[in-house]
Each structure stands twice: as structure tokens, then as C-alpha cells.
């Protein structure tokens, strides 16, 4: 490795406290999402408050929604849909995008040109618009949502991975591997992938935020997750009539989305440099 | 050298045209190829097979999809957007007035957001590292990382629930005085301006900082120029290209923002029309609106590219 002063080695391995806070909030929501069915205080469909848009109280910690159902329980179950759908979609998008991007960089030629042109064109459809068109055409079951979100964000992941892989592809050790007669798959997964994995992970996080925002936006329009299920965007959508009274049922799910997306951003911005810029 | 630049621009326009073709192809096939026979949906369950077959023939649904695509494309080029499935009105008539409304909303937002964002972006780059810069940066990251509807609902909470200055979530049709116009447009414009400016501030700040990190700016500082003078007289002229590029790129966020804002504030624009069209599955309407938004988005992105080419003195 290069010369390392005591200062730089300390900085590069330690997490800043801001990053730790981000990580803590992400872990918190992940635990809630996993444990939700066992820890919710009331069944999510049960009407427990005779008043609708009830305020926060010791019985209903986050108040009640437009039908008088417990908001805390609905929020906890909503975490499953928001986090689960976004995570599934981002995994598919990043896997497909990265695999295609690395393949395009290594194979090059016509394969690269046509794929890049096509995916760039898909990238110039505004994401919300694709969401609306798909929702209109095939509706929005949870499986459709996952595939749709993954398809919308694959071109971006492809572009990012391809740009990184093109740089690595010019290195001498790739030429050596080629002359040695290694297969394309070997070059992609054993020579290129390990060298770009750090920035790819950061990109994974950013794309997770984009997907969460798009999913929430679609659900807010009433075109995302459909009742009886409700993610956080759908919770805002169904309780929007409580907005003029400043009901917690509208504010709390919005804050939940913001806390998740901002935490992911904070975590990525404060990742140790060793992980983030490993290819540099 | 001039022809070289012209060639570059022509190439960009060609790519934009090609992209538009692929995009319209994608939009058409996403809506036309997917399950559900339009004719039988339109006629309902009680329809006789003959009636369905007749309607299919009348709507050219029995032709191969590729033919229908080119027929649709030729219609678009002539300005014939087709007929709405739901109320049998020409889509062009449905969109007409609403298009003006949406453009007005976007125009007012641009007029407000651009000067504010440029001022904030340039000054925060000028005083990089100061408390002021940090506050601006944290706020922009905050706005970028939350969904648009949250900015809209926060604006409603602040301005109409707590301060009671503006009406909540209503769009009055009877607008008589200038004061009312102001009240009606205030909330949608504030929301959109936040969404667009946050991106613009970030990109402008980055563009100016890029120029500040150059040797000639260091020289300007060494000869004794103050920091504001060095930035305004020495750095800014060289950052004009990237900044113009940043403006055009951030304005493309209007496309996504306007969909949420028109829905939440019940604003009579194209985006609201499209969202309503989605709930009634009015495919011709959705296709036309989608193409309009794609053209707007593509135009802004291509504009950003062309500005970047024109502003680069090495290419001139």
C-alpha cells in the first residue's frame, strides 16, 4: 500500500458518529420490519378508537387513523412493505445492472453500443412517469411493483457499473488474464468485480433511497401498494384528509420515510474512504 | 471549428430524436401489449361477441401491434392524439387548456427558483466551510432525500394549519383578483421551487467550487483579491457553462415534481389529467400525456448537453 501517516490510517478505518447514527436508524427500522407481526400492540385492521384522527395518547402512542385504527401498529407493519419492496427491487436492479455493465465493458463492440444506447433511452423516461404507465397498464400488485421499480433503476446501475468496469478493464492484469485465456465470466467476477465492489455498494445505497422515494410517491398517488396492505406512502395517502387538522396519522409516516432515506444518505456520505473509493 | 460544434449539436439532436423514438416505442408497448382486451373492457360483460369484434375492427385492434404503433406515431406527428376511451372526447381537446396551466405553473416556478438557487449556490460556494454553507448544504440534502409529497404536506402544515395564511389543498376555480391568484399559486409553486432549487443549489455549488480549485483562482487570491471578488469576477465567468447545464438539468426534476404537486393541490394541469387517466385506465390519454412529459424531459436534458458544448471554449 502507499505510505500511511498515523492520521490517515485512523481516519480511513473509523466511522464518524454521523454515520453511526445513520446506521443505527437503518438497523432500527430493519428490526421493526422483521419483528412487526410479533410486537404490534393492536391488530392492524382493528378499530380501537371511537374517534378518527385521534391525538397521541398513552393508549395509542401515535394516535389513530381515518377509521380509528392504531397508527403505531400500521406504521410498524408499513415498514415491512416500504423496506421489503425497496430492498427486493434494489437487489434485482443492482444485480442486473452491474452484471450487464461489467459484461458490456469486457465484451465491448456492438454488444456494448446497442445495450448502452437502449438503456440510456430507457433512462430518459422520467421514473414517476414509467410508474404511472405501468400502473395503468397492469395495475400494481406487490410483485409487479418490485419488478417495475427494478426495471426503472437498472439502467442507472448499468451506467455506473459500466463506467467503473471500463476503467478497470484497461489495467495490465486484465490483459494478463486475457492472454492467459481466461473466460469472460472469470474476468468479470474474479478480476473486475472485487476491484469495484466498494463504490458499487455505495451506489446500492443511493439507489435504495431513489427506489424508496419512488415507491412512496406512487403509493401516495394511490397507485402503489394497494389496500389491505399499506406502506408508508399509502398511509399518508389514506390519511391525507387529516392534514388540515395536523393529525399525527399524516405526519408520522412521512417522518418515517424521511428518517430512513436521510439515514441511508448519511451512512453513505460517512462510509470509511477505504470502502467508498476502493477502486481509486 | 464552427462546423465541428455544429456537428456535435446535430449529433446530440439526432440522439435525442432516436431516444424519443425508443421511448415512444416503450410507452406504446407497455400500454398496448399488456393484458386485457380493450374492446371487451369498453363494452362491458354484457357485450355480444359480434359487437366486440366490430369495435375491435373499428379501433384497428385486430391489426398487428407494429402497424398500430406506426399508425399511432403518424397520428402523433399530425397532432392527432386519438380519442379518450372514457368519454369519447379527442385527447387533444382534453389536454389543450390544461397544458397551458401546467406550463404556467412550471414557468412561475422557474422564475422564482432559478434566481434564489443561483444566489444560494454561488454564495455557499464562496463561503465554503462556513456555518452558512453548512446550513445550506444540510437543508438541500434534507430536501433531496425526502419525497416531494412530504414537502407539499409540510408546506400545508406550516402555511395553512399553523400560520393560517393560505387555504389548504384546494384549488379555487373562481379567481378574480390578483391577490387570489397569488394565494392559489403560492403553495404549489413553493413546493415545486423547493424540489427544483435543492438540486440546482447542489449542482451550482459544485460547479463554482470546481472553478475555485483552479491555479488561476489561487493566483487571483495571491495578488490580493478578496474572496467574493475572486469568485464573482474570476471564477464565475468560467463557471457559466456548468451552471447553465445545472439549471437545465435541475429543471428536469419539474417533471416528477409536477405529478405529485398537481395531484395533492388538485391543480387542473396535464399531470392531474394523467393520474386521473390511470385510475380509469384511459390508455390513449395516458400515452399522450406520457409522451408530452417525455418530450419536455428530453428537451431539457438535450438543452443541458448543448449548453455544455457551447460553453466550452475549447470546442469553439
Amino acid at each position: 500500500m502507499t505510505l500511511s501517516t498515523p492520521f490517515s490510517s485512523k481516519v480511513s478505518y473509523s466511522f464518524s458518529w454521523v454515520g453511526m447514527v445513520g446506521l443505527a436508524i437503518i438497523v432500527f427500522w430493519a428490526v421493526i420490519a422483521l419483528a412487526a407481526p410479533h410486537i404490534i400492540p393492536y391488530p392492524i385492521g382493528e378499530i380501537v378508537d371511537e374517534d378518527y384522527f385521534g391525538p397521541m395518547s398513552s393508549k395509542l402512542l401515535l394516535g389513530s387513523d381515518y377509521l380509528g385504527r392504531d397508527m403505531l401498529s400500521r406504521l410498524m407493519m408499513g415498514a415491512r412493505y416500504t423496506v421489503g419492496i425497496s430492498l427486493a427491487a434494489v437487489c434485482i436492479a443492482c444485480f442486473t445492472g452491474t452484471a450487464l455493465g461489467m459484461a458490456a465493458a469486457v465484451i465491448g463492440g456492438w454488444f456494448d453500443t446497442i445495450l448502452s444506447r437502449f438503456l440510456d433511452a430507457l433512462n430518459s423516461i422520467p421514473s414517476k412517469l414509467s410508474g404511472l404507465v405501468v400502473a395503468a397498464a397492469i395495475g400494481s400488485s406487490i410483485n409487479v411493483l418490485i419488478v417495475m421499480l427494478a426495471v426503472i433503476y437498472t439502467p442507472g446501475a448499468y451506467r455506473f457499473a459500466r463506467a467503473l468496469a471500463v476503467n478497470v478493464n484497461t489495467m495490465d492484469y486484465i490483459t494478463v488474464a486475457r492472454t492467459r485465456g481466461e473466460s469472460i465470466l472469470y474476468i468479470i467476477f474474479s478480476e473486475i468485480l472485487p476491484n469495484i465492489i466498494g463504490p458499487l455498494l455505495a451506489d446500492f445505497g443511493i439507489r435504495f433511497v431513489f427506489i424508496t422515494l419512488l415507491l412512496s410517491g406512487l403509493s401516495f398517488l394511490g397507485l402503489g401498494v394497494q389496500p389491505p396492505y399499506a406502506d408508508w406512502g399509502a398511509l399518508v395517502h389514506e390519511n391525507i384528509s387529516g392534514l388540515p387538522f395536523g393529525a399525527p396519522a399524516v405526519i408520522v409516516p412521512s417522518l418515517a420515510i424521511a428518517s430512513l432515506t436521510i439515514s441511508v444518505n448519511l451512512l453513505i456520505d460517512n462510509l470509511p474512504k477505504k470502502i467508498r473509493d476502493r477502486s481509486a | 471549428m464552427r462546423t465541428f460544434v455544429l456537428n456535435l449539436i446535430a449529433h446530440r439532436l439526432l440522439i435525442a430524436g432516436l431516444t424519443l423514438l425508443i421511448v415512444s416505442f416503450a410507452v406504446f408497448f407497455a400500454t398496448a401489449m399488456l393484458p386485457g382486451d380493450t374492446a371487451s373492457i369498453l363494452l362491458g360483460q354484457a357485450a355480444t361477441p359480434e359487437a366486440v369484434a366490430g369495435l375491435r375492427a373499428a379501433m384497428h385492434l385486430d391489426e398487428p401491434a407494429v402497424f398500430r404503433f406506426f399508425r399511432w406515431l403518424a397520428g402523433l406527428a399530425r397532432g392527432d392524439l386519438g380519442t379518450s376511451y372514457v368519454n369519447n372526447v379527442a385527447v387533444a381537446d382534453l389536454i389543450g387548456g390544461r397544458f397551458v396551466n401546467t406550463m404556467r405553473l412550471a414557468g412561475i416556478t422557474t422564475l422564482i427558483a432559478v434566481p434564489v438557487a443561483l444566489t444560494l449556490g454561488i454564495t455557499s460556494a464562496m463561503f465554503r466551510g462556513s456555518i452558512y454553507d453548512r446550513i445550506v448544504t444540510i437543508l438541500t440534502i434534507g430536501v433531496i432525500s425526502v419525497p416531494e409529497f412530504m414537502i407539499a404536506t409540510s408546506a400545508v402544515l406550516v402555511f395553512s394549519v399553523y400560520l393560517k395564511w393560505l387555504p389548504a389543498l384546494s384549488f379555487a376555480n373562481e379567481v378574480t383578483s390578483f391577490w387570489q391568484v397569488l394565494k392559489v399559486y403560492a403553495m404549489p409553486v413553493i413546493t415545486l421551487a423547493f424540489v427544483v432549487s435543492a438540486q440546482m443549489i447542489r449542482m451550482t455549488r459544485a460547479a463554482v467550487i470546481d472553478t475555485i480549485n483552479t491555479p488561476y483562482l489561487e493566483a487571483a487570491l495571491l495578488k490580493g483579491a478578496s474572496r467574493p471578488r475572486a469568485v464573482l469576477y474570476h471564477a464565475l465567468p468560467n463557471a457559466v457553462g456548468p451552471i447553465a447545464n445545472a439549471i437545465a438539468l435541475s429543471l428536469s426534476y419539474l417533471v416528477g415534481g409536477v405529478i405529485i404537486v398537481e395531484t395533492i393541490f388538485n391543480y387542473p394541469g396535464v399531470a392531474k389529467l394523467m393520474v386521473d387517466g390511470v385510475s380509469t385506465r384511459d390508455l390513449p390519454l395516458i400515452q399522450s400525456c406520457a409522451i408530452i412529459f417525455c418530450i419536455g424531459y428530453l428537451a431539457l436534458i438535450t438543452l443541458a448537453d448543448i449548453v455544455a458544448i457551447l460553453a466550452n471554449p475549447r470546442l469553439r
Side-chain angles (χ1 to χ4, degrees):
Chain A
M1 287 286 335
T2 47
L3 285 174
S4 65
T5 61
F7 179 72
S8 74
S9 66
K10 193 179 167 206
V11 168
S12 54
Y13 280 115
S14 69
F15 253 126
S16 76
W17 66 271
V18 185
M20 290 303 280
V21 171
L23 185 64
I25 297 177
I26 297 168
V27 170
F28 168 75
W29 283 123
V31 170
I32 294 274
L34 286 176
H38 308 290
I39 55 173
I40 49 173
Y42 300 95
I44 46 166
E46 195 172 290
I47 295 173
V48 289
D49 193 2
E50 57 268 34
D51 214 9
Y52 50 89
F53 293 130
M56 299 185 185
S57 62
S58 57
K59 182 167 158 269
L60 305 170
L61 286 177
L62 295 179
S64 59
D65 76 346
Y66 74 118
L67 291 176
R69 295 174 292 193
D70 176 39
M71 246 347 258
L72 179 63
S73 312
R74 292 185 68 76
L75 187 78
M76 285 170 148
M77 287 302 275
R80 289 172 83 82
Y81 298 105
T82 297
V83 177
I85 295 177
S86 307
L87 202 59
V90 77
C91 286
I92 302 176
C94 282
F95 178 79
T96 324
T98 306
L100 286 176
M102 289 189 302
V106 174
I107 297 171
W110 276 107
F111 180 75
D112 182 22
T113 311
I114 292 177
L115 198 61
S116 297
R117 220 13 116 241
F118 178 70
L119 289 178
D120 275 355
L122 283 192
N123 216 5
S124 54
I125 305 179
S127 54
K128 271 208 196 60
L129 214 54
S130 330
L132 287 185
V133 170
V134 173
I138 25 179
S140 36
S141 70
I142 287 179
N143 291 337
V144 170
L145 276 176
I146 292 176
V147 173
M148 174 185 86
L149 291 168
V151 170
I152 291 177
Y153 284 100
T154 299
Y158 166 81
R159 223 178 187 187
F160 189 77
R162 183 184 168 277
L164 289 172
V166 163
N167 282 338
V168 177
N169 197 34
T170 56
M171 297 287 173
D172 287 342
Y173 55 81
I174 301 287
T175 320
V176 171
R178 277 182 204 277
T179 13
R180 214 162 56 215
E182 301 289 2
S183 70
I184 285 177
L185 279 182
Y186 176 86
I187 294 178
I188 288 177
F189 287 105
S190 303
E191 301 283 358
I192 292 189
L193 187 58
N195 287 294
I196 61 174
I197 192 79
L200 283 183
L201 285 178
D203 181 64
F204 179 88
I206 294 169
R207 226 155 279 286
F208 175 79
V209 171
F210 288 157
I211 290 182
T212 309
L213 291 181
L214 178 60
L215 172 68
S216 311
L218 285 175
S219 290
F220 172 77
L221 292 175
L223 304 169
V225 179
Q226 299 296 321
Y229 315 112
D231 69 334
W232 290 338
L235 287 179
V236 181
H237 170 73
E238 59 184 28
N239 292 312
I240 193 72
S241 54
L243 187 58
F245 333 117
V250 192
I251 302 170
V252 173
S254 309
L255 289 181
I257 300 170
S259 71
L260 179 64
T261 50
I262 293 179
S263 310
V264 176
N265 271 337
L266 286 181
L267 176 64
I268 292 166
D269 281 352
N270 292 289
L271 275 183
K273 281 228 158 43
K274 279 257 161 68
I275 297 180
R276 206 174 25 167
D277 305 328
R278 212 173 130 183
S279 74
Chain B
M1 284 309 250
R2 278 207 86 74
T3 51
F4 178 62
V5 173
L6 285 180
N7 274 340
L8 271 181
I9 294 177
H11 184 229
R12 255 330 278 152
L13 289 175
L14 191 74
I15 290 183
L18 199 68
T19 309
L20 191 60
L21 197 68
I22 300 181
V23 166
S24 49
F25 189 78
V27 167
F28 181 83
F29 278 91
T31 48
M33 295 290 287
L34 292 164
D37 176 50
T38 318
S40 44
I41 292 174
L42 280 182
L43 292 174
Q45 285 183 339
T48 58
E50 291 78 21
V52 172
L55 188 64
R56 283 179 64 88
M59 291 173 73
H60 304 290
L61 286 179
D62 44 1
E63 292 176 19
V66 181
F67 281 19
R68 280 187 284 137
F69 173 65
F70 283 114
R71 191 189 296 280
W72 178 69
L73 211 58
L76 277 188
R78 283 199 311 271
D80 171 18
L81 303 180
T83 314
S84 162
Y85 286 169
V86 174
N87 44 18
N88 234 353
V89 179
V91 171
D93 292 342
L94 283 176
I95 291 179
R98 284 167 166 255
F99 182 70
V100 180
N101 283 344
T102 298
M103 288 308 283
R104 191 181 296 136
L105 183 61
I108 297 176
T109 308
T110 309
L111 283 182
I112 293 174
V114 171
V116 172
L118 289 189
T119 316
L120 286 173
I122 293 170
T123 47
S124 67
M126 209 186 297
F127 305 109
R128 178 156 56 131
S130 65
I131 301 280
Y132 167 74
D133 175 38
R134 280 198 204 144
I135 293 176
V136 171
T137 309
I138 290 174
L139 283 181
T140 49
I141 291 182
V143 170
I144 289 171
S145 358
V146 303
E148 289 102 341
F149 67 77
M150 190 172 164
I151 297 164
T153 47
S154 313
V156 171
L157 278 179
V158 171
F159 292 110
S160 75
V161 177
Y162 296 125
L163 296 175
K164 300 197 192 324
W165 287 352
L166 299 163
L169 303 188
S170 63
F171 198 86
N173 276 327
E174 60 283 359
V175 181
T176 46
S177 67
F178 176 70
W179 183 237
Q180 270 176 314
V181 174
L182 218 58
K183 271 191 155 180
V184 158
Y185 275 94
M187 213 90 86
V189 169
I190 289 173
T191 311
L192 273 180
F194 259 98
V195 174
V196 176
S197 335
Q199 300 288 350
M200 221 182 286
I201 292 171
R202 256 169 89 99
M203 291 191 231
T204 310
R205 181 175 174 276
V208 176
I209 284 180
D210 262 359
T211 339
I212 288 180
N213 289 338
T214 49
Y216 67 81
L217 209 86
E218 200 180 344
L221 287 171
L222 287 175
K223 79 166 192 204
S226 68
R227 227 175 138 67
R229 193 190 148 82
V231 170
L232 292 178
Y233 287 83
H234 297 271
L236 212 48
N238 289 298
V240 165
I243 290 178
N245 179 276
I247 294 176
L249 270 186
S250 355
L251 285 180
S252 67
Y253 284 83
L254 273 174
V255 176
V258 95
I259 294 178
I260 299 283
V261 165
E262 287 191 359
T263 312
I264 190 169
F265 294 110
N266 211 8
Y267 182 92
V270 183
K272 176 84 174 91
L273 188 69
M274 182 174 173
V275 174
D276 292 345
V278 171
S279 37
T280 52
R281 296 190 66 154
D282 193 347
L283 293 184
L285 182 63
I286 296 165
Q287 289 167 342
S288 307
C289 292
I291 290 294
I292 290 179
F293 279 117
C294 284
I295 292 176
Y297 187 74
L298 209 57
L300 284 168
I301 291 181
T302 311
L303 182 71
D305 280 354
I306 291 178
V307 164
I309 293 173
L310 287 178
N312 187 345
R314 280 175 216 116
L315 293 178
R316 234 182 282 142

